[in-house]
Amino acid sequence: MALAGATRARRKAERPNEILEAAFEEFALHGYAATRLEDVATRAGVTKGTIYVYFESKERVFEALVRERGKVARERMAPFFEERGDPTIDSIRADLDFLFRACTGDQREQELLRLLISEATRFPALVDEHFETVFDPILEKLKERLQRAAKIGTIRAAAVIEYPELLMSPALAMHVCRLLFAERWPLDTERYIETSVDLLLNGLLPDAPQRTRK
Amino acid sequence: MALAGATRARRKAERPNEILEAAFEEFALHGYAATRLEDVATRAGVTKGTIYVYFESKERVFEALVRERGKVARERMAPFFEERGDPTIDSIRADLDFLFRACTGDQREQELLRLLISEATRFPALVDEHFETVFDPILEKLKERLQRAAKIGTIRAAAVIEYPELLMSPALAMHVCRLLFAERWPLDTERYIETSVDLLLNGLLPDAPQRTRK
Amino acid sequence: MALAGATRARRKAERPNEILEAAFEEFALHGYAATRLEDVATRAGVTKGTIYVYFESKERVFEALVRERGKVARERMAPFFEERGDPTIDSIRADLDFLFRACTGDQREQELLRLLISEATRFPALVDEHFETVFDPILEKLKERLQRAAKIGTIRAAAVIEYPELLMSPALAMHVCRLLFAERWPLDTERYIETSVDLLLNGLLPDAPQRTRK
Amino acid sequence: MALAGATRARRKAERPNEILEAAFEEFALHGYAATRLEDVATRAGVTKGTIYVYFESKERVFEALVRERGKVARERMAPFFEERGDPTIDSIRADLDFLFRACTGDQREQELLRLLISEATRFPALVDEHFETVFDPILEKLKERLQRAAKIGTIRAAAVIEYPELLMSPALAMHVCRLLFAERWPLDTERYIETSVDLLLNGLLPDAPQRTRK
DNA sequence: GATGAATGAGTATTCATTCAT
DNA sequence: CATGAATGAATACTCATTCAT
């Protein structure tokens, strides 16, 4: 009984997240408009009405879901924000490597991107919020590091420094391809990342024969 | 009267494209599911029923629209497929420049990407078709040129050659950002493209001090 | 030219009937509401618009068709109305035999019945008209003959004389079964008619004093 | 409140039948195609959506309705299937009398027939099902009794024995007339039935050697 | 809290009818 | 006359949302 009580309480506390998780899968699969809240409920193991106990409307479910994924993303990205002294070639390589792997490691990352792109015109404020709390900090941090690296001559002081999104583009491209073709687009992720980092680093380096690459 | 006289037949021939154009705008704005065919009709200057004179269903309208955009894209890309001798640094730069501008010049290009991403799970065959007839030929051509360039030493023979999509990723990234943030993301396209090409070229070049950039 | 002219004129004169014939088939197959005038047109070898050249509306087509079938039925029944002296057993048998065959010989007779039954609530006046011009004269004639036959003792003077429809009921029953089961209800028409006539005649005959009835 | 309290569950159990009853009336009045589910709903005292809580589609409503009427018919016919010894003239008269009254007593019987006839081409399987579970058992039973009656000499051993539907035809004819003319065809049911039974019995009886038939 | 019956606004699609050619 | 493009009223069906239990 006590156990059952605890279980029920635990269940209750987890319900919202279970619903959001289920909602995420359904929304990613069918898009906002074509997703039926009833399917979300079924997937979450509850009934239609229960969703309305925790959320005001379909829109609020969607917003909560995006915010939840944002939180997850921020947590995953945390290591990137730790301070480490002056950037070296290797630290930049490590940074890129980390970023690529971080936003590539979880299929859900990709599906969130699909949702953001699909529903950007319906939820512009939400997309902005996600940008400001998730993407922008990363880009800003990256920019800051690149500027410092350029200043101390680790990389060349080219315009690229102003476009940190340029460095992220290989990861983005991979996401987009996966969104479009799913498993029909087989890719050796490992090698792709390596190649990308290699290309970018090579592009960033000042004119120097010492370039090392695997 | 004279105008009306010409109208009948002329309209008949133009209607389908007018409808597809209107459909494109509506679908891009709201996604497949949330688009009302009646709004498409209104935008095209006809009524609901007229759409069904030319198309069997909402799905067929969507498919026709994607195919039409594919045709437009192929036409725009035609110059890229013309033969020109051995690739030089400048010809590669010109190629990248052309590609970036081509897939960036028309806002509709971007919106088509949104549709493809949004509806990829609903219309997988259609996305594949678009890939095979539009994206793939470009990537293949690009790959071929890079391989040749590597063989004659114009660029280094790195793994990047196998990932032509990597070279397209800055353009893709730009599209995605625009899709997410629209005008809220101001960007000097010109400079972004230049920077991208510069970064990539620099990354592609063999170890050489002579790297010229504008 | 003259020939073509004649042909065209002939075609034109026949159009309405061709349309009615096609309409009959479609209406019988799908009922009034579910029949598309366009299908009628196609079956008649013309286009939608042409129907409206000859008929005001779908309703008018239906009415015209029923009237046309009424005319055909009257023509087929004409021999029944010819005068022949006092009824004998054999003449009554011949009458029943004729009636059964007449309303059984053409599959369209049956289908008309389906239409009348299906649309009786939508076109009550039309059904009444058909009754008055087609069914009723037959029943009246039959009644008259039976009364005369009873008066001269050819058949017994039972209440049946007042219900001529009773004598028609085997034919009606056959129609209904065919309407319900089509070819899934195989029937030796010849034998069925014979048996019916036999049963009815036997029932009509006088004599047999031992027969008790309430 | 107490009333309302009971309502919920009670209504739930009764709803489907209330809907079917309403549907029956509407379908009988307008036919399948011309019936609006919304009118059915209104007549049943619910709204459009509620119908879809209980039935998948308009077709399913129609099918359920026919099956329900079949059940009702079987229950009404049950007494006919009880065993009673060797058939006498009186038992056969009683059988016919019962059958005629059973399929005549309820106006809905007639309207079901209209539906079956009207929609036989749209729902052939459903009509067959109704035949097999409702009509056929009656005809078979009737045939069986007639054969037995013929064997023991109660009636003559004529071909009529093979056509039990022939004996039902007066009832069918009455139905059809009612379907076609409704109240515009006044009929003393009682007398009609009596007359029919009389005619048939007379036709079935043996003897009367002077009767000639082909 | 959780349920699921009931609601009704919303949308794709059909088709009789019109009318310019 | 014949055509068939265009119309728009009509209708099956869906699904977010409510609320009595």
Side-chain angles (χ1 to χ4, degrees):
Chain A
M1 278 299 124
L3 184 65
T7 299
R8 196 175 308 148
R10 186 172 58 77
R11 294 286 300 167
K12 193 184 128 187
E14 290 173 3
R15 276 279 152 76
N17 270 322
E18 289 170 1
I19 291 170
L20 291 182
E21 190 59 39
F24 184 33
E25 290 167 32
E26 290 291 324
F27 280 133
L29 221 42
H30 310 111
Y32 178 80
T35 291
R36 295 142 32 96
L37 239 32
E38 178 143 34
D39 289 342
V40 171
T42 303
R43 195 187 275 264
V46 298
T47 59
K48 241 177 337 164
T50 306
I51 293 181
Y52 285 88
V53 172
Y54 298 100
F55 302 94
E56 247 186 18
S57 65
K58 194 181 177 184
E59 289 203 357
R60 295 281 176 269
V61 172
F62 187 82
E63 290 168 6
L65 160 185
V66 171
R67 290 195 179 106
E68 175 61 22
R69 297 312 308 171
K71 221 172 78 185
V72 170
R74 274 192 302 279
E75 280 161 16
R76 192 208 305 277
M77 291 303 174
F80 176 67
F81 292 93
E82 283 162 18
E83 266 314 312
R84 28 192 187 290
D86 276 347
T88 63
I89 284 290
D90 284 338
S91 84
I92 293 176
R93 176 190 299 274
D95 278 349
L96 289 180
D97 206 74
F98 174 83
L99 286 177
F100 283 10
R101 278 170 218 286
C103 63
T104 280
D106 188 346
Q107 161 140 28
R108 277 124 109 216
E109 222 56 53
Q110 218 168 92
E111 294 299 336
L112 178 62
L113 184 64
R114 170 162 12 232
L115 280 181
L116 291 173
I117 290 174
S118 304
E119 314 303 338
T121 59
R122 191 194 301 260
F123 297 98
L126 188 63
V127 172
D128 279 356
E129 184 188 317
H130 192 81
F131 175 73
E132 277 158 32
T133 59
V134 180
F135 294 158
D136 198 43
I138 296 171
L139 294 178
E140 283 306 311
K141 191 72 186 172
L142 192 53
K143 194 175 188 176
E144 179 197 319
R145 292 220 175 113
L146 290 175
Q147 285 173 332
R148 214 158 131 206
K151 191 175 288 174
I152 64 177
T154 306
I155 61 171
R156 61 198 175 99
V160 62
I161 297 174
E162 295 166 47
Y163 296 108
E165 48 274 67
L166 207 43
L167 296 185
M168 299 299 294
S169 65
L172 214 49
M174 192 180 120
H175 272 170
V176 170
C177 289
R178 283 249 172 85
L179 287 177
L180 291 174
F181 312 114
E183 334 72 40
R184 302 187 306 273
W185 190 60
L187 175 77
D188 180 341
T189 312
E190 204 54 38
R191 192 147 189 270
Y192 178 85
I193 292 182
E194 239 171 64
T195 308
S196 303
V197 173
D198 177 58
L199 174 70
L200 295 175
L201 271 185
N202 203 48
L204 287 171
L205 287 178
D207 314 327
Q210 75 283 11
R211 279 165 204 175
T212 45
R213 62 198 75 95
K214 199 171 64 156
Chain B
M1 276 298 127
L3 186 65
T7 297
R8 193 75 171 224
R10 188 172 57 77
R11 298 302 285 174
K12 166 91 203 289
E14 292 172 4
R15 280 270 192 266
N17 272 321
E18 288 170 1
I19 291 169
L20 291 182
E21 191 60 39
F24 184 33
E25 290 167 31
E26 290 291 322
F27 280 134
L29 220 43
H30 311 111
Y32 178 80
T35 291
R36 294 147 27 98
L37 237 32
E38 180 145 30
D39 288 343
V40 171
T42 303
R43 193 186 278 264
V46 297
T47 59
K48 239 178 337 159
T50 304
I51 293 181
Y52 287 90
V53 171
Y54 297 98
F55 302 95
E56 254 189 8
S57 65
K58 195 180 176 183
E59 288 203 359
R60 294 283 176 268
V61 172
F62 187 82
E63 290 167 7
L65 162 182
V66 171
R67 290 194 179 109
E68 175 61 24
R69 298 312 308 171
K71 221 173 78 185
V72 170
R74 276 193 301 280
E75 281 162 16
R76 194 207 303 279
M77 291 302 174
F80 176 66
F81 292 93
E82 283 162 17
E83 267 313 312
R84 24 191 187 292
D86 277 347
T88 62
I89 285 290
D90 284 339
S91 81
I92 294 177
R93 176 190 298 277
D95 278 348
L96 289 179
D97 206 73
F98 174 82
L99 286 176
F100 283 11
R101 276 169 221 286
C103 64
T104 281
D106 188 345
Q107 162 140 25
R108 278 122 112 216
E109 222 57 50
Q110 202 173 105
E111 292 301 335
L112 178 62
L113 185 65
R114 167 155 24 225
L115 280 181
L116 291 174
I117 289 174
S118 304
E119 312 304 339
T121 59
R122 191 195 299 262
F123 298 97
L126 188 62
V127 172
D128 278 357
E129 186 189 315
H130 192 80
F131 174 73
E132 277 158 30
T133 59
V134 179
F135 295 159
D136 198 42
I138 297 172
L139 294 178
E140 284 306 310
K141 191 72 188 171
L142 190 54
K143 193 175 191 176
E144 180 198 317
R145 291 217 176 116
L146 291 175
Q147 286 173 331
R148 215 157 131 205
K151 190 176 290 176
I152 64 177
T154 307
I155 61 171
R156 63 197 176 100
V160 61
I161 296 174
E162 295 166 46
Y163 297 107
E165 48 273 65
L166 208 44
L167 295 185
M168 299 300 294
S169 65
L172 214 49
M174 191 179 119
H175 272 170
V176 170
C177 289
R178 283 249 173 86
L179 287 177
L180 291 173
F181 312 114
E183 332 71 37
R184 303 187 307 275
W185 188 61
L187 175 76
D188 181 341
T189 312
E190 204 53 38
R191 193 151 187 266
Y192 177 85
I193 291 182
E194 242 173 61
T195 309
S196 303
V197 172
D198 177 59
L199 172 70
L200 294 175
L201 271 185
N202 205 46
L204 286 170
L205 286 179
D207 316 327
Q210 76 281 14
R211 278 169 206 172
T212 44
R213 58 198 75 93
K214 197 170 66 156
Chain C
M1 276 299 128
L3 185 65
T7 301
R8 197 176 305 146
R10 188 173 58 76
R11 296 286 301 165
K12 193 183 129 189
E14 290 173 4
R15 277 279 151 76
N17 270 321
E18 288 170 2
I19 290 170
L20 291 182
E21 190 59 38
F24 184 32
E25 290 167 32
E26 289 291 323
F27 281 133
L29 220 41
H30 311 111
Y32 178 79
T35 291
R36 297 142 32 94
L37 239 31
E38 178 143 32
D39 289 343
V40 171
T42 302
R43 194 187 275 265
V46 297
T47 59
K48 243 180 332 167
T50 305
I51 293 181
Y52 285 88
V53 172
Y54 298 99
F55 302 95
E56 247 186 19
S57 65
K58 194 182 178 183
E59 289 202 357
R60 293 284 175 268
V61 172
F62 187 81
E63 290 167 7
L65 160 183
V66 172
R67 289 192 180 109
E68 175 62 22
R69 297 312 308 170
K71 222 172 78 186
V72 170
R74 274 193 303 279
E75 281 161 15
R76 194 207 305 278
M77 291 303 174
F80 177 66
F81 292 92
E82 283 163 18
E83 265 314 309
R84 25 190 187 294
D86 276 348
T88 62
I89 285 290
D90 284 340
S91 80
I92 295 177
R93 174 190 301 277
D95 279 348
L96 290 179
D97 206 75
F98 174 81
L99 287 176
F100 284 11
R101 277 170 220 286
C103 65
T104 281
D106 189 345
Q107 161 140 28
R108 277 123 111 216
E109 223 56 51
Q110 208 171 103
E111 293 299 335
L112 178 62
L113 184 64
R114 173 165 7 235
L115 281 182
L116 291 173
I117 290 174
S118 304
E119 312 304 339
T121 60
R122 190 195 299 262
F123 297 98
L126 188 62
V127 172
D128 278 357
E129 185 190 316
H130 192 81
F131 175 73
E132 278 158 29
T133 58
V134 180
F135 295 160
D136 200 41
I138 296 172
L139 295 178
E140 284 307 312
K141 192 72 186 172
L142 192 52
K143 195 175 189 176
E144 182 197 316
R145 291 215 176 121
L146 290 175
Q147 285 173 332
R148 218 159 128 203
K151 190 176 291 177
I152 62 176
T154 306
I155 61 170
R156 61 197 175 101
V160 61
I161 296 175
E162 295 166 47
Y163 296 107
E165 49 273 67
L166 206 46
L167 295 186
M168 299 300 296
S169 66
L172 214 49
M174 192 180 121
H175 273 169
V176 170
C177 289
R178 282 251 173 84
L179 288 177
L180 292 172
F181 312 114
E183 332 71 38
R184 303 188 306 275
W185 189 61
L187 175 78
D188 180 341
T189 313
E190 204 55 37
R191 193 150 186 267
Y192 178 85
I193 292 182
E194 243 172 62
T195 308
S196 304
V197 173
D198 177 57
L199 174 71
L200 294 176
L201 271 185
N202 205 45
L204 287 172
L205 286 178
D207 80 23
Q210 74 279 23
R211 278 170 202 167
T212 44
R213 57 197 76 94
K214 198 173 68 163
Chain D
M1 277 298 124
L3 185 65
T7 297
R8 192 77 169 221
R10 187 172 57 78
R11 297 301 287 173
K12 165 92 204 289
E14 293 173 3
R15 279 270 192 266
N17 271 321
E18 289 169 2
I19 291 169
L20 290 183
E21 191 60 39
F24 184 34
E25 291 167 30
E26 290 290 324
F27 280 134
L29 221 41
H30 311 111
Y32 178 80
T35 292
R36 295 147 27 98
L37 238 32
E38 181 146 30
D39 288 343
V40 171
T42 304
R43 193 186 277 265
V46 298
T47 59
K48 232 177 346 160
T50 304
I51 293 182
Y52 287 90
V53 172
Y54 297 99
F55 302 95
E56 253 189 9
S57 64
K58 195 180 175 182
E59 288 203 359
R60 294 282 177 268
V61 172
F62 187 81
E63 290 168 6
L65 160 182
V66 171
R67 290 195 179 106
E68 176 61 22
R69 298 311 311 171
K71 222 171 77 185
V72 170
R74 275 193 301 280
E75 282 161 15
R76 193 207 304 278
M77 293 301 174
F80 176 67
F81 292 93
E82 283 161 20
E83 266 314 310
R84 23 191 188 294
D86 276 348
T88 63
I89 286 288
D90 284 339
S91 82
I92 293 177
R93 176 190 299 277
D95 277 350
L96 290 179
D97 206 74
F98 174 82
L99 287 177
F100 283 10
R101 277 168 219 288
C103 63
T104 281
D106 188 346
Q107 162 141 28
R108 278 122 112 215
E109 222 57 51
Q110 211 170 99
E111 294 300 334
L112 178 63
L113 185 65
R114 183 187 333 257
L115 281 181
L116 291 174
I117 289 174
S118 305
E119 313 304 338
T121 59
R122 191 192 301 260
F123 297 97
L126 189 62
V127 172
D128 279 356
E129 185 189 316
H130 192 80
F131 174 73
E132 277 159 31
T133 58
V134 180
F135 295 159
D136 199 41
I138 297 172
L139 295 179
E140 284 305 312
K141 192 70 185 174
L142 192 53
K143 195 177 189 174
E144 180 197 318
R145 291 217 176 118
L146 290 176
Q147 286 173 332
R148 216 159 130 205
K151 191 176 289 177
I152 64 177
T154 306
I155 61 171
R156 62 197 175 101
V160 61
I161 298 175
E162 293 165 48
Y163 296 108
E165 46 274 66
L166 208 44
L167 296 185
M168 300 299 295
S169 64
L172 214 49
M174 192 180 121
H175 273 170
V176 170
C177 289
R178 283 250 171 86
L179 287 177
L180 291 172
F181 312 115
E183 334 71 38
R184 302 189 306 275
W185 190 60
L187 176 76
D188 180 342
T189 312
E190 204 53 39
R191 191 143 190 272
Y192 178 85
I193 292 182
E194 239 171 65
T195 308
S196 303
V197 173
D198 179 57
L199 174 71
L200 294 175
L201 271 184
N202 205 47
L204 286 171
L205 287 179
D207 79 28
Q210 74 281 20
R211 280 169 200 168
T212 45
R213 58 198 76 93
K214 201 169 59 160

